Amino acid sequence: MDIHEYQAKELLSGFGIAVPRGGLAYSPEQATYRAREIGGSKWVVKAQVHSGARGKAGGIRVCDDDREILEAADDMLGRKLVTQQTGPRGKMIYRLYVEEAVDIEHEFYLGFVLDRKTERVMVVASSAGGMEIEEISEREPDSILRVSVEPAVGMQEFQAREIAFGLGLDSKQIGQATQVLMGCYRAFRELDATMVEINPLVTTADGSLVALDTKMSFDDNALFRSAHISELRDKSQEDPRETYAADRGLNYVGLDGEIGCIINGAGLAMATMDMIQLGGGEPANFLDVGGGASPDRIVKAFRSVLADQNVSVLLVNIFAGINRCDWVAEGVVKAFEEVDVNVPVVVRLAGTNVDEGFQILRESGLAIGIAETLAEAAELSVDAWRNVSAQAA
Ligand code: GDP
Ligand code: MN
């Protein structure tokens, strides 16, 4: 689970990390009111969406007076922010965070991630923080410091100091940086995080270290342990297609194409998506209906996939081992009765009870494209998608 920047700042400040003074705003008037509460003469209005790279997308605005704050807030609220990380659908801006502007001397990058290969927490740091960190890590991978933490003893102060020195901080700031690093590590472990990121961590003119932007993600499987973390969930930032499917127990991941997929088995689902792409199409989703796909489950899958307005063709691809093709076919027929199926449908069945399955589909009299192999299924659905696109054009 991801949370907002302001929520991560509140959590991290509880672990001794300095953050700018700020306040939340749901309206332009509230944004100016927050600025007055904070004081000073320069503020930053920040879109609160579950994404980084907001700065480059117009989601971070430095303002000098009320008029500029009103304008920035008015521009952002209720609008979708499309960043390099959100995909073309973007994320809705419903909340703003107003902060005192900080006089930046230098921007550093600090990240704590779970390295699944070594099964350890890995600290990643760079003295070239800010908005270009992705490019720098690609261009000069050696400029990035990496330290892995031995889980039995946890992060040691000497490791934190080593990173602080590695960043080129001066002697007065080493102590502060060590506090920040130790605080992040404690937050990571105590809150069951999977990621803690400060980018940028800045040094200011008066020599202090401040976390200007923070990001945290949490282990979904540990959420039951801490209500104060799970209550930070903001469903408005999640893909509504995924929330809908997850609430119905389906394993669904939203994608940007137009060919909707209902498939059993993650491996077959991946292979089918590859075949669709090979044929020149784009899948609209990944959906694994799972082993015992009852007719009702197939109907739910139809509802989930067709709730996506971008879907213009639906492909059902089942290789029945534990599954039964006749059940799946019954589910398809039932879906046509109960759901408004307004796109061409292609069904491929193979395995247990395949003859019964095809018989049910044929006897239904429904206009369904029938395929016997994976290649055929992908070809038929890409062809159908081309036809629909040509008609729409
Ligand atoms: P992101 O683009 O989503 O990562 O948003 P950030 O909060 O990291 O802001 C992007 C950039 O805006 C930072 O790297 C800074 O260069 C700049 N910025 C953010 N807050 C301030 C501030 O208080 N003062 C100044 N001068 N620049 C800021
Ligand atoms: Mn940032």
Side-chain angles (χ1 to χ4, degrees):
M1 182 187 80
D2 295 333
I3 61 171
H4 289 293
E5 172 196 6
Y6 76 91
Q7 296 167 329
K9 278 180 168 157
E10 197 172 312
L11 290 173
L12 290 175
S13 75
F15 287 83
I17 291 159
V19 299
R21 281 189 301 160
L24 203 60
Y26 289 91
S27 70
E29 294 69 34
Q30 215 170 23
T32 53
Y33 190 77
R34 289 286 167 266
R36 227 159 298 135
E37 280 180 338
I38 294 162
S41 59
K42 211 183 188 101
W43 303 270
V44 188
V45 177
K46 312 184 83 175
Q48 296 301 291
V49 291
H50 287 181
S51 169
R54 294 163 301 167
K56 286 183 180 170
I60 306 288
R61 295 257 286 268
V62 181
C63 302
D64 285 317
D65 53 39
D66 272 9
R67 195 184 49 80
E68 286 182 15
I69 293 173
L70 284 171
E71 227 174 75
D74 204 54
D75 276 357
M76 289 190 214
L77 283 168
R79 185 168 72 80
K80 273 193 172 153
L81 191 69
V82 179
T83 74
Q84 286 169 351
Q85 297 172 11
T86 57
R89 285 166 200 257
K91 296 251 161 110
M92 281 300 281
I93 306 173
Y94 291 119
R95 306 176 197 191
L96 299 174
Y97 195 50
V98 182
E99 276 185 338
E100 59 174 337
V102 170
D103 211 356
I104 300 175
E105 201 175 69
H106 189 85
E107 299 189 322
F108 298 90
Y109 174 90
L110 203 57
F112 288 68
V113 288
L114 192 64
D115 181 22
R116 292 176 192 279
K117 206 153 65 188
T118 56
E119 301 177 354
R120 288 173 182 210
V121 176
M122 175 90 88
V123 189
V124 184
S126 166
S127 62
M131 298 200 279
E132 310 297 334
I133 186 69
E134 278 86 7
E135 288 82 350
I136 288 163
S137 68
E138 258 183 40
R139 231 179 26 240
E140 302 165 43
D142 293 342
S143 72
I144 312 273
L145 301 172
R146 283 169 224 275
V147 172
S148 95
V149 179
E150 160 64 49
V153 292
M155 183 144 141
Q156 301 294 301
E157 293 238 352
F158 81 87
Q159 290 182 300
R161 273 197 302 277
E162 211 168 83
I163 296 166
F165 277 111
L167 290 173
L169 288 161
D170 72 35
S171 54
K172 291 197 296 284
Q173 290 158 341
I174 299 292
Q176 271 186 74
T178 306
Q179 295 296 310
V180 170
L181 283 150
M182 298 302 288
C184 283
Y185 180 75
R186 275 208 303 128
F188 190 106
R189 290 302 309 263
E190 283 175 28
L191 303 177
D192 292 313
T194 52
M195 193 264 290
V196 174
E197 188 185 74
I198 306 181
N199 184 35
L201 172 71
V202 304
T203 49
T204 64
D206 63 14
S208 56
L209 268 182
V210 181
L212 220 56
D213 181 20
T214 60
K215 214 168 158 182
M216 289 182 84
S217 298
F218 299 89
D219 184 350
D220 291 338
N221 296 315
L223 282 178
F224 70 93
R225 290 209 283 215
S226 34
H228 75 292
I229 300 297
S230 51
E231 76 172 12
L232 301 178
R233 180 168 177 194
D234 180 358
K235 282 195 181 182
S236 81
Q237 298 297 305
E238 296 172 6
D239 187 329
R241 300 175 297 169
E242 287 176 15
T243 312
Y244 184 94
D247 289 347
R248 282 155 190 79
L250 296 166
N251 190 357
Y252 177 106
V253 179
L255 301 166
D256 297 317
E258 295 178 1
I259 302 177
C261 299
I262 296 175
I263 303 169
N264 77 313
L268 184 61
M270 304 290 264
T272 307
M273 286 160 46
D274 283 348
M275 291 294 277
I276 288 172
Q277 270 174 326
L278 196 66
E282 287 285 341
N285 66 278
F286 167 101
L287 193 162
D288 173 10
V289 281
S294 65
D296 280 334
R297 211 165 152 77
I298 297 288
V299 176
K300 280 182 191 163
F302 263 71
R303 275 193 220 285
S304 289
V305 173
L306 292 173
D308 179 352
Q309 298 302 316
N310 279 4
V311 168
S312 65
V313 172
L314 178 57
L315 167 62
V316 180
N317 183 13
I318 304 292
F319 189 97
I322 307 167
N323 262 321
R324 289 172 41 180
C325 290
D326 51 333
W327 276 15
V328 173
E330 272 174 39
V332 171
V333 174
K334 202 161 175 229
F336 271 83
E337 287 162 10
E338 295 180 11
V339 185
D340 178 24
V341 183
N342 50 7
V343 299
V345 175
V346 176
V347 179
R348 179 254 179 157
L349 299 174
T352 311
N353 294 357
V354 62
D355 295 333
E356 290 90 328
F358 279 133
Q359 197 183 341
I360 291 169
L361 291 182
R362 278 197 206 92
E363 284 173 0
S364 73
L366 293 166
I368 295 172
I370 289 185
E372 288 184 4
T373 65
L374 167 55
E376 221 181 325
E379 198 181 308
L380 273 182
S381 46
V382 173
D383 283 350
W385 165 70
R386 285 221 170 85
N387 281 337
V388 174
S389 314
Q391 277 165 23

